[in-house]
Amino acid sequence: MSKAKRQIKLGAFLMETGHHIAAWRHPDTHLAGGLDFSHYAQLAQIAERSKFDAVFFADSVGISDTNLASLSRTARADHFEPLTLLAALSVVTKNIGLIATVSTTFNEPFNVARKFASLDHLSGGRSGWNLVTSSSETEALNFGFEQHPAHAVRYERAREFHDVVTGLWDSWEDDSFIRDRESGIYFDPDKLHTLNHRGKHFKVRGPLNVARSPQGWPVVVQAGASDAGRELAAQTAEVIFVAHQTLDEAKVFYQDVKGRLVKYGRQPDDLKIMPGIFPVIGRTHDEARAKFNALQDLIHPDVGLALLSKMTGGVDLSKYAVDGPLPDLPETNGGKSRQQLLFDLARRENLSIRDLYLRIAGARGHQQVVGTPESIADQLQQWFEEEGADGFNIMSPWLPGGLTEFAELVVPELQRRGLFRTGYEGTTLRENLGLPRPGNRHAQAVRQRAAG
Amino acid sequence: MSKAKRQIKLGAFLMETGHHIAAWRHPDTHLAGGLDFSHYAQLAQIAERSKFDAVFFADSVGISDTNLASLSRTARADHFEPLTLLAALSVVTKNIGLIATVSTTFNEPFNVARKFASLDHLSGGRSGWNLVTSSSETEALNFGFEQHPAHAVRYERAREFHDVVTGLWDSWEDDSFIRDRESGIYFDPDKLHTLNHRGKHFKVRGPLNVARSPQGWPVVVQAGASDAGRELAAQTAEVIFVAHQTLDEAKVFYQDVKGRLVKYGRQPDDLKIMPGIFPVIGRTHDEARAKFNALQDLIHPDVGLALLSKMTGGVDLSKYAVDGPLPDLPETNGGKSRQQLLFDLARRENLSIRDLYLRIAGARGHQQVVGTPESIADQLQQWFEEEGADGFNIMSPWLPGGLTEFAELVVPELQRRGLFRTGYEGTTLRENLGLPRPGNRHAQAVRQRAAG
């Protein structure tokens, strides 16, 4: 197998007791796993043994408690703050990437730049930042807002936020530190750079009080799939986590986003597109289907309706007939791309409200694959080879069992086909993903001056 | 020895290569320790083996780069973000408390409440928050301010910030989680409480998306010693880290702050006062003095002057004669208490500018004790027994050696005298410090209603 052969990238998207909304009721889940470090340590180590590129954590800075009857039937209301958790996981892992979601709407860029740089130093170059603008009113109300900031304003702020953070990451040149005891010079003052950013949303002087980190910049990940989201990703992201239902949809998205890169001077390989996959694995198709149905049977109708309401932008669907069609919904300020995805799905397959909530209860709009290790590998291979994906973010239905099955049954099948690594290529997340290490803008300026 | 006997509490105040400003030039320091996790893991484990109550990290969210010539001769410009570091240290320790400094001026209360609650869960109840308002203009310029917010405004915001954070920590009652697979009820919705805080500085709806943590509330620490700082501490703090030069000063402070507790319905024991101590230890006094002088000789004059300037509120002292007296300084917006402390010290002992910078180069206004293990234990015992202190925050001159010496030589001496524990009393920081676990305000309300 040639080293240059393109291979699948894999993320382990971890979530409490699993991605299926009723996973906590599954007899084999770690019932109180949401706030148990040993649960996550075990999961990260399973993924690392199988050579996953990264573990990934979503995040929300608030609880949507408007429907307590439904919420109290889920394990979704409390969990670790992801960066805190990943710092701890850095100690019990060696190679796997550590990607945390942090919102640009409810944080200050100096704090975010510093925390990811710290995690990158802690982990020897394995940190990644999933940059989100957050999509729920619930979160905004925890941060002094009377309502959620508008979509366009959030994206404008996010772009400037990214500029500030990456600027701060370049505060120190890579070779700033001399540490010569004899002369008493600890660092070269010419290699420390003050940012002096003054923009529409931020005034940040800098410099950052953390040295440039092993990866130069921690890997930047995004998940927004709206037009504004795609454009921001084409300009700034190195990985996109995205939800697709069909290969055709995935190919259109892939081509669209990769096509946007050129105007920012980037190569198609500089951005990895990784759709979410919700795998239910059986020795036979019937066994897989039975496993899936057993999970679906655990969903209380209140929970299904509330999930659907949340994912369609906060509209209350309880007043509509559960076995009737999805009504037309008003324009909302929530995440547009996911709303559109669900409407397209329901119209395409003529789904009732109940059908739809059962459909999204596991994968939340991502692709469900229910089958044997071979059939699942077939599908991943097809999506990968036909350029619908560079890799996949694996959303195990229940944990740890669902991840263990993927690691023991599907990963070896992908390896046999030469589609997935059998050993890590490098020591940093960037090296394993095949992403270039960004040069420091100031070091480049110096080189250009010297050459000019 | 009776269990009820009052004993000394000990914190290990860790800082890069050590507290002495020239520590990094000491031949036995870990030269690149500032961003090396293994360095801090070693330090925390040394402190834990000796039964210290906690490790403690100061913080600053910025670099004061106005005097680069001086700054570049120190190891102070870059270091880990403390909460990220402590999350990782929670994995390599079992009993020792983990206290991080986080500013109320440059953060949002929801994020702070969440991170400390997460660290408390990660560590099994060992987290502590050193609440500071930050005192440098340098930091403010990284967060959109044109100048540092005024002292009074910072303290007003800090008090409200503390209200919000502790309110969020009570979002969930301790027994909220049922997790009954059969009925499908994960938590009792009556035990989740929305904060709905609307104050002058913050509007925070809540609830927090992290369960109530093992300690109920992580331990709240403060370091401000101005009148506003003392009053805030009397109302809200459970530990105070403070700088004193003399026992008389320490006793006056101790009595004053403990006396302020009663009007907030608190007992004197509910707040532990822990002055910083900078110990230089030798087998003989001469050996200790020689060790200290060797460190002092490593201080470049630019570094000494810049340190003094920084600690007197940002005034440039380079235009004054280095061997002349400290001039009168204008009122500044910096940390008032430390400025006053340095002025009092210089006047009392008739120190020149050089004398003063040499004096603070190690301990930065805290007490330096240079002597044998017995003489250092004598002094700690006297301060403790005469009620100048409930314990001490040990600021080792260089690391790891200075901490190792304290652990191997001074701690056993304190233990022989029955002044310090030989085993941890409990599993949480709160239990080891002898602090009560706060009840949840909502659970109390329920009990009161039931009783009424």
Side-chain angles (χ1 to χ4, degrees):
Chain A
M1 194 183 83
S2 130
K3 266 217 155 182
K5 185 179 169 186
R6 184 171 162 256
Q7 285 193 317
I8 287 175
K9 306 299 172 190
L10 287 181
F13 182 176
L14 304 179
M15 181 177 273
E16 294 110 39
T17 53
H19 282 271
H20 193 279
I21 191 77
W24 74 270
R25 300 181 70 187
H26 187 286
D28 296 335
T29 51
H30 183 155
L31 192 52
L35 282 171
D36 183 340
F37 175 66
S38 68
H39 174 61
Y40 294 103
Q42 181 190 9
L43 297 173
Q45 288 167 347
I46 292 169
E48 185 168 72
R49 274 196 299 274
S50 287
K51 318 300 178 200
F52 275 66
D53 291 81
V55 293
F56 167 75
F57 289 91
D59 193 40
S60 166
V61 279
I63 294 176
S64 174
D65 62 349
T66 45
N67 188 340
L68 267 180
S70 155
L71 185 71
S72 64
R73 292 179 169 279
T74 75
R76 295 283 190 258
D78 84 313
H79 49 85
F80 283 114
E81 189 283 317
L83 262 173
T84 316
L85 176 58
L86 285 178
L89 288 176
S90 75
V91 179
V92 297
T93 54
K94 283 215 170 101
N95 291 104
I96 198 163
L98 307 165
I99 302 175
T101 300
V102 172
S103 172
T104 54
T105 305
F106 307 122
N107 284 284
E108 291 283 339
F110 193 91
N111 291 335
V112 171
R114 199 173 169 223
K115 281 168 197 284
F116 279 101
S118 291
L119 181 61
D120 211 45
H121 281 284
L122 268 181
S123 63
R126 297 187 282 133
S127 78
W129 170 30
N130 182 31
L131 183 168
V132 302
T133 70
S134 301
S135 59
S136 91
E137 181 105 344
T138 299
E139 297 169 271
L141 299 178
N142 290 330
F143 291 86
F145 295 95
E146 296 291 347
Q147 59 186 37
H148 197 46
H151 190 268
V153 174
R154 296 203 310 272
Y155 271 88
E156 187 186 74
R157 178 181 160 109
R159 189 166 313 221
E160 189 180 333
F161 198 111
H162 177 271
D163 281 350
V164 176
V165 166
T166 51
L168 288 169
W169 284 338
D170 281 349
S171 295
W172 297 86
E173 294 186 40
D174 287 309
D175 57 352
S176 299
F177 293 91
I178 299 164
R179 300 191 184 101
D180 179 33
R181 283 185 170 126
E182 193 54 40
S183 67
I185 303 292
Y186 193 79
F187 67 84
D188 178 351
D190 290 341
K191 296 192 172 175
L192 173 61
H193 303 277
T194 303
L195 183 64
N196 284 320
H197 175 90
R198 299 184 79 86
K200 183 169 171 187
H201 296 273
F202 303 106
K203 290 192 300 256
V204 180
R205 184 175 177 279
L208 194 67
N209 54 355
V210 182
R212 201 159 195 264
S213 73
Q215 295 188 104
W217 299 0
V219 173
V220 175
V221 179
Q222 275 166 56
S226 66
D227 189 70
R230 291 177 194 205
E231 202 60 30
L232 181 63
Q235 190 176 358
T236 64
E238 303 177 282
V239 176
I240 299 185
F241 288 152
V242 63
H244 294 309
Q245 287 291 327
T246 67
L247 175 55
D248 284 345
E249 206 181 278
K251 285 159 77 169
V252 169
F253 180 88
Y254 189 98
Q255 205 155 27
D256 174 57
V257 172
K258 297 259 180 174
R260 295 178 192 228
L261 291 172
V262 64
K263 67 172 169 287
Y264 299 109
R266 305 180 67 199
Q267 302 297 317
D269 271 358
D270 293 348
L271 173 62
K272 309 297 178 189
I273 297 179
M274 297 174 67
I277 293 287
F278 175 94
V280 186
I281 308 157
R283 278 165 302 182
T284 63
H285 281 275
D286 284 350
E287 187 185 85
R289 178 56 56 185
K291 277 186 180 176
F292 183 56
N293 290 341
L295 277 167
Q296 295 288 78
D297 287 346
L298 296 172
I299 302 173
H300 192 282
D302 285 358
V303 173
L305 278 176
L307 179 70
L308 191 52
S309 165
K310 182 181 164 194
M311 295 192 58
T312 49
V315 179
D316 180 12
L317 293 167
S318 62
K319 60 189 168 181
Y320 300 98
V322 72
D323 291 310
L326 207 64
D328 288 334
L329 287 178
E331 181 88 351
T332 71
N333 190 23
K336 288 186 194 306
S337 51
R338 189 178 283 168
Q339 193 179 96
Q340 193 59 50
L341 190 91
L342 292 177
F343 272 71
D344 291 351
L345 170 66
R347 303 266 183 272
R348 190 168 62 240
E349 303 193 15
N350 197 26
L351 302 179
S352 70
I353 290 178
R354 187 195 306 272
D355 293 336
L356 188 60
Y357 85 59
L358 282 172
R359 181 69 70 89
I360 63 170
R364 302 190 308 283
H366 294 260
Q367 238 235 334
Q368 295 176 174
V369 290
V370 182
T372 63
E374 295 73 24
S375 75
I376 291 171
D378 286 346
Q379 184 161 342
L380 300 188
Q381 180 167 6
Q382 187 188 12
W383 281 50
F384 175 67
E385 291 180 344
E386 296 186 16
E387 299 203 327
D390 295 310
F392 304 93
N393 209 15
I394 304 304
M395 304 164 62
S396 297
W398 77 100
L399 291 167
L403 182 63
T404 307
E405 288 181 357
F406 191 89
E408 291 178 356
L409 301 172
V410 182
V411 167
E413 181 61 31
L414 294 173
Q415 288 168 330
R416 270 192 290 278
R417 300 181 189 191
L419 291 167
F420 188 63
R421 68 167 68 84
T422 54
Y424 285 104
E425 294 86 2
T427 61
T428 69
L429 174 56
R430 209 165 260 295
E431 286 165 357
N432 289 320
L433 286 172
L435 293 167
R437 185 179 190 275
N440 187 308
R441 65 194 68 186
H442 305 293
Q444 285 168 342
V446 168
R447 280 202 298 276
Q448 278 161 9
R449 275 201 306 275
Chain B
M1 194 184 82
S2 130
K3 266 216 153 180
K5 185 179 170 186
R6 183 172 163 258
Q7 284 193 319
I8 287 174
K9 306 299 173 191
L10 287 180
F13 182 175
L14 304 179
M15 180 176 275
E16 295 109 39
T17 53
H19 282 270
H20 193 280
I21 191 76
W24 74 270
R25 300 183 69 187
H26 187 285
D28 296 337
T29 51
H30 183 153
L31 193 52
L35 282 171
D36 182 340
F37 175 67
S38 70
H39 174 63
Y40 293 103
Q42 181 190 10
L43 298 173
Q45 288 168 347
I46 291 168
E48 185 168 74
R49 275 197 299 274
S50 287
K51 318 301 178 199
F52 275 65
D53 292 81
V55 293
F56 167 73
F57 289 91
D59 194 40
S60 166
V61 278
I63 294 176
S64 174
D65 60 351
T66 45
N67 188 339
L68 266 180
S70 156
L71 185 72
S72 64
R73 291 178 169 279
T74 75
R76 296 283 190 257
D78 83 312
H79 49 84
F80 284 115
E81 190 282 319
L83 262 172
T84 315
L85 176 58
L86 285 177
L89 287 176
S90 76
V91 179
V92 297
T93 54
K94 282 215 170 100
N95 291 102
I96 198 162
L98 307 165
I99 303 176
T101 299
V102 172
S103 171
T104 55
T105 304
F106 308 122
N107 284 283
E108 290 284 336
F110 193 91
N111 291 336
V112 172
R114 198 173 170 223
K115 281 169 196 284
F116 279 101
S118 291
L119 180 61
D120 212 45
H121 281 284
L122 269 181
S123 63
R126 297 187 281 134
S127 78
W129 170 30
N130 182 32
L131 182 168
V132 302
T133 71
S134 302
S135 59
S136 90
E137 181 105 342
T138 299
E139 295 169 272
L141 299 179
N142 291 330
F143 291 86
F145 295 95
E146 295 290 348
Q147 58 186 37
H148 197 45
H151 190 266
V153 173
R154 296 203 310 271
Y155 271 87
E156 186 185 74
R157 178 180 160 109
R159 189 166 312 222
E160 190 181 333
F161 198 111
H162 177 270
D163 281 351
V164 175
V165 166
T166 51
L168 288 168
W169 283 338
D170 281 349
S171 295
W172 298 85
E173 294 186 39
D174 287 309
D175 57 351
S176 299
F177 293 90
I178 299 164
R179 300 193 184 100
D180 179 33
R181 283 186 168 124
E182 192 55 39
S183 68
I185 303 293
Y186 193 80
F187 68 83
D188 178 352
D190 290 341
K191 297 192 172 175
L192 174 60
H193 303 277
T194 303
L195 183 63
N196 285 321
H197 175 90
R198 299 183 78 86
K200 183 169 171 187
H201 296 273
F202 302 106
K203 291 191 300 256
V204 180
R205 184 174 178 278
L208 194 66
N209 53 354
V210 183
R212 201 158 195 267
S213 74
Q215 295 188 104
W217 299 0
V219 173
V220 175
V221 180
Q222 276 165 53
S226 67
D227 189 71
R230 292 178 194 206
E231 203 59 30
L232 181 64
Q235 190 175 358
T236 64
E238 303 178 282
V239 175
I240 299 186
F241 289 152
V242 61
H244 294 309
Q245 286 290 326
T246 68
L247 175 56
D248 284 346
E249 204 182 281
K251 285 159 77 169
V252 169
F253 180 87
Y254 189 98
Q255 206 156 28
D256 173 59
V257 172
K258 296 261 178 171
R260 295 178 191 226
L261 291 171
V262 63
K263 67 173 169 287
Y264 299 110
R266 305 180 69 200
Q267 303 297 317
D269 271 358
D270 293 349
L271 173 62
K272 309 298 177 189
I273 297 179
M274 298 174 68
I277 293 287
F278 174 95
V280 185
I281 308 159
R283 281 165 299 182
T284 63
H285 280 275
D286 284 349
E287 186 184 86
R289 178 57 53 188
K291 276 186 181 178
F292 183 58
N293 290 341
L295 278 168
Q296 296 288 79
D297 288 345
L298 296 173
I299 302 173
H300 192 283
D302 285 357
V303 172
L305 278 175
L307 180 68
L308 191 53
S309 164
K310 182 180 165 196
M311 297 192 56
T312 49
V315 178
D316 181 12
L317 292 167
S318 62
K319 61 188 169 182
Y320 300 98
V322 72
D323 290 311
L326 209 62
D328 289 332
L329 288 179
E331 181 87 351
T332 70
N333 190 22
K336 289 186 194 307
S337 50
R338 189 178 284 167
Q339 192 179 96
Q340 193 59 51
L341 190 93
L342 292 177
F343 271 72
D344 291 350
L345 170 67
R347 302 267 182 274
R348 192 168 61 240
E349 303 193 14
N350 197 26
L351 302 179
S352 69
I353 291 178
R354 188 194 306 271
D355 292 337
L356 188 60
Y357 85 57
L358 282 172
R359 181 69 71 88
I360 63 170
R364 301 191 307 285
H366 294 261
Q367 239 235 332
Q368 295 176 172
V369 290
V370 181
T372 63
E374 295 73 24
S375 74
I376 290 171
D378 287 346
Q379 184 162 342
L380 301 188
Q381 180 167 5
Q382 187 188 12
W383 280 50
F384 175 66
E385 290 182 344
E386 294 187 16
E387 300 203 326
D390 295 312
F392 303 93
N393 209 15
I394 304 306
M395 304 164 62
S396 297
W398 77 99
L399 292 167
L403 182 63
T404 306
E405 288 181 356
F406 191 90
E408 292 179 355
L409 300 172
V410 182
V411 167
E413 181 62 29
L414 295 173
Q415 288 169 331
R416 272 191 288 278
R417 300 180 188 191
L419 290 168
F420 189 63
R421 68 167 70 82
T422 53
Y424 285 105
E425 293 86 2
T427 60
T428 69
L429 174 57
R430 210 165 260 294
E431 286 165 356
N432 290 321
L433 287 172
L435 294 168
R437 184 178 191 277
N440 187 307
R441 66 195 68 186
H442 305 293
Q444 286 169 342
V446 168
R447 279 201 297 277
Q448 279 160 8
R449 276 200 306 274

